[in-house]
Amino acid sequence: MAAEWDWESGEGLLRIDDPAEWDAAFERGEPKIGTAVIGLAFNCTPAEVSPRIVRAMQVPDRDQRGYAFTAAGTAARLNGELTPELYAALRAEGHRGLAENAIDDTLTFVPFRDLPPWFKWRKVASRVGDKLKTWRLTAAYVAEDAGKALRRRR
């Protein structure tokens, strides 16, 4: 299967299903390691792929780090769970930048009862923020409609 994986172009890496092959590529310093970890997220269990995602989150190439966070979100989407080390890595990055979408995927696809405390807090804070934005927009629309009605009466 290794013959199908082109580490220079990234061709076929989304089909990678061998964590040992990924480990060897990481040790060799292959350039598309983040892309390959997404493939592992598709094809392996969270326990198998989790340490590799965390390692890929620390590579110097920002694009490949971004793919590692995508892999974390993919693992949450496909499995409805993450490992404690992935939760810790996402929390350390915070709900911004590269981790924002991965954290949003985690909050969406992992049941609330299974989330660690920080993620539960983020989910509640997100819901409260959304509700406040809704109320603000509703009030703005009401004020705008009232203004239009007053201008028509003149």
Side-chain angles (χ1 to χ4, degrees):
M1 189 112 173
E4 294 180 36
W5 303 324
D6 184 350
W7 291 98
E8 286 301 315
S9 71
E11 184 72 31
L13 292 179
L14 291 179
R15 292 187 310 270
I16 191 168
D17 60 357
D18 183 7
E21 177 65 25
W22 188 92
D23 291 338
F26 185 84
E27 294 304 321
R28 290 191 307 266
E30 296 290 355
K32 304 290 185 188
I33 208 71
T35 305
V37 83
I38 295 172
L40 286 179
F42 279 127
N43 299 303
C44 298
T45 66
E48 290 175 313
V49 74
S50 178
R52 289 148 183 101
I53 293 174
V54 172
R55 286 173 65 188
M57 286 177 176
Q58 299 164 357
V59 298
D61 182 350
R62 179 175 167 77
D63 291 337
Q64 294 305 309
R65 271 196 331 269
Y67 293 143
F69 286 101
T70 299
T74 300
R77 282 174 175 260
L78 293 175
N79 302 295
E81 66 178 354
L82 293 178
T83 62
E85 64 188 339
L86 270 177
Y87 284 123
L90 290 173
R91 181 178 181 201
E93 186 70 20
H95 197 194
R96 64 188 181 286
L98 295 175
E100 184 174 359
N101 291 331
I103 290 174
D104 288 343
D105 286 348
T106 301
L107 296 177
T108 301
F109 294 100
V110 175
F112 185 81
R113 67 184 174 281
D114 296 338
L115 292 171
W118 184 82
F119 282 83
K120 287 181 179 178
W121 176 86
R122 280 296 325 145
K123 186 157 190 153
V124 169
S126 175
R127 293 269 172 94
V128 168
D130 290 348
K131 184 55 80 174
L132 290 173
K133 286 178 189 174
T134 300
W135 289 345
R136 183 186 58 79
L137 286 172
T138 301
Y141 294 148
V142 166
E144 183 180 330
D145 290 346
K148 286 179 183 177
L150 286 174
R151 283 191 294 276
R152 279 194 300 258
R153 295 187 87 193
R154 292 183 186 172

